[in-house]
Amino acid sequence: TSNFSFAEIPKELLYQEPQNTDITQLATLQGFQETSTPLKFVNARIFINKINSKATLNQSKDWAKIYSILPTNITVNFSSDAQHLFSTSELSFKAQAGQKYQIKTNQAEKNSPKVGIQFWVENLTTGEVVTEKQFANTTLNQPQQIYIPIIINK
């Protein structure tokens, strides 16, 4: 058995998929990943943290999770953690029924360090960019040594 316990998070703080709604009346929203070929190094990855202030509890590995959303004003908080950079930001847009949306970035492009890393929401159905391209809070995510004291009782 584990000595760890996890807090119970109240459901009202978590994102809940719309219920009792015809699927044709919903839209979808997902994160993003771009890899280099042929070695499949991750050049850019975005995962969703919150939708309309409700937590998703996503981690980086959950970037491909597709969320059903109502056709309304959507505010999405997200993180990006590729190429030794960590970014967080928020974008808002008006979702339309039957459309598929994805958060995108220019992080994988060769000139992104010079022009800055930008994020936006794109309608995958139409190819239209539905938000302004925004710069995010970005920090260097370098590996660090972590020392853990170990107490040995005799």
Side-chain angles (χ1 to χ4, degrees):
T1 63
S2 173
N3 292 334
F4 295 102
S5 61
F6 296 97
E8 182 80 23
I9 299 174
K11 288 196 183 295
E12 60 270 13
L13 299 178
L14 299 175
Y15 182 73
Q16 307 285 325
E17 298 258 335
Q19 301 295 315
N20 304 319
T21 305
D22 181 359
I23 195 163
T24 63
Q25 297 304 307
L26 297 174
T28 63
L29 178 63
Q30 69 184 84
F32 174 78
Q33 179 171 287
E34 185 172 322
T35 58
S36 61
T37 54
L39 300 177
K40 299 293 183 197
F41 290 119
V42 175
N43 290 336
R45 179 187 297 132
I46 299 169
F47 57 100
I48 297 170
N49 302 115
K50 291 183 184 176
I51 299 172
N52 290 344
S53 300
K54 304 292 183 181
T56 63
L57 303 182
N58 277 344
Q59 298 174 14
S60 182
K61 64 180 176 55
D62 302 316
W63 70 269
K65 183 163 181 166
I66 298 173
Y67 289 93
S68 293
I69 56 176
L70 292 169
T72 186
N73 291 325
I74 299 292
T75 299
V76 58
N77 299 76
F78 58 90
S79 297
S80 172
D81 67 345
Q83 295 186 15
H84 302 293
L85 294 173
F86 182 79
S87 306
T88 60
S89 195
E90 174 182 289
L91 292 166
S92 296
F93 66 102
K94 172 90 168 125
Q96 303 293 326
Q99 304 300 300
K100 297 177 182 185
Y101 299 96
Q102 186 173 45
I103 305 167
K104 296 252 184 140
T105 182
N106 67 336
Q107 186 172 358
E109 296 173 12
K110 288 184 176 158
N111 68 343
S112 68
K114 292 178 190 158
V115 299
I117 298 174
Q118 296 177 308
F119 297 89
W120 63 91
V121 174
E122 188 173 304
N123 182 328
L124 294 178
T125 310
T126 65
E128 176 188 7
V129 174
V130 298
T131 62
E132 296 279 325
K133 293 187 177 183
Q134 295 183 10
F135 294 98
N137 301 321
T138 303
T139 57
L140 204 52
N141 188 14
Q142 292 288 345
Q144 298 177 359
Q145 291 182 345
I146 299 173
Y147 298 97
I148 301 172
I150 299 175
I151 300 171
I152 302 174
N153 293 332
K154 291 186 177 186

